[in-house]
């Protein structure tokens, strides 16, 4: 690990902290997207169970 710190120079802490923060933000966005996808899928399933099927050309199939 000290080899990496030496190769990054005097700003190694800042660089590594920036990569860590970016990774946390990306992980959070991925989690939020997956959670929203599951919620939307549940909502669509509930609508389809109630009979609100998909329509084509504005007419009920």
């Amino acid at each position: 690990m000290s080899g990496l710190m030496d190769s990054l120079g005097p700003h190694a802490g800042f660089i590594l902290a920036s990569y860590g923060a970016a990774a946390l933000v990306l992980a959070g966005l991925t989690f939020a997207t997956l959670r929203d996808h599951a919620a939307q899928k549940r909502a669509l399933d509930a609508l389809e169970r109630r009979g609100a099927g998909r329509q084509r050309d504005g007419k009920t199939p």
Side-chain angles (χ1 to χ4, degrees):
M1 183 73 163
S2 73
L4 175 64
M5 297 291 273
D6 291 338
S7 68
L8 291 177
H11 304 292
F14 176 77
I15 294 168
L16 294 175
S18 297
Y19 274 112
L24 284 175
V25 167
L26 288 174
L29 288 171
T30 301
F31 176 73
T33 301
L34 291 173
R35 199 171 108 181
D36 182 59
H37 174 70
Q40 295 298 324
K41 189 171 181 178
R42 281 191 307 271
L44 180 60
D45 289 341
L47 283 172
E48 287 182 345
R49 277 194 307 272
R50 287 192 305 176
R54 297 178 187 179
Q55 296 179 354
R56 196 168 107 194
D57 296 329
K59 299 176 185 174
T60 305

